[in-house]
Amino acid sequence: MELDFQAGAMIAREALEDKKGMDTEVLDLRGLSNVADYFVIGSASNINQLRAMADQVEEKLFEHGFHLSHSEGYQGGGWILLDYGSLIVHLFLQETRDFYQLERIWADAKRL
């Protein structure tokens, strides 16, 4: 069965919103990046919320057949990255998100 990564991005967004994630965005990077087709970006107000959001995304995507290939930052600072291949979920503490400004870097991406 082929995975629908756009649907996966929407599942991830919903999972973040369930955990009260802030400023959740889905960027369609098809044709703009060879790294991934979709980025889901969300913010948390504290590290516990950040980890809860990551856990929720992993659980919901797994339920729909998506398997995490790599993750970074869960034990560290203010950025957790969940890599599903064509879908990458970036979870930030708000001040870290403000610093990196991924939405500005990928300003040409379509917002879903």
Side-chain angles (χ1 to χ4, degrees):
M1 178 175 103
E2 186 172 321
L3 294 173
D4 178 348
F5 286 98
Q6 183 173 345
M10 298 302 133
I11 293 165
R13 177 172 62 188
E14 186 175 307
L16 295 177
E17 291 170 353
D18 286 348
K19 289 295 179 185
K20 308 296 186 227
M22 300 177 290
D23 303 321
T24 304
E25 294 217 39
V26 178
L27 306 182
D28 182 344
L29 302 174
R30 292 176 297 174
L32 298 174
S33 171
N34 59 1
V35 173
D37 290 339
Y38 299 94
F39 278 180
V40 178
I41 304 169
S43 301
S45 58
N46 61 66
I47 194 69
N48 291 330
Q49 181 188 18
L50 190 68
R51 290 178 180 149
M53 289 165 53
D55 292 344
Q56 181 80 350
V57 168
E58 285 187 63
E59 180 182 322
K60 293 300 181 184
L61 286 175
F62 183 79
E63 288 173 4
H64 288 87
F66 292 86
H67 295 280
L68 183 66
S69 62
H70 181 75
S71 68
E72 293 183 24
Y74 192 88
Q75 299 300 324
W79 183 354
I80 296 176
L81 181 141
L82 305 173
D83 183 352
Y84 290 88
S86 291
L87 167 62
I88 298 177
V89 181
H90 297 274
L91 305 174
F92 293 98
L93 291 177
Q94 190 61 54
E95 59 270 14
T96 307
R97 184 175 180 174
D98 292 343
F99 179 80
Y100 286 103
Q101 299 183 15
L102 290 185
E103 295 93 337
R104 186 181 59 77
I105 294 169
W106 295 100
D108 293 342
K110 179 179 171 187
R111 273 30 179 203
L112 301 180

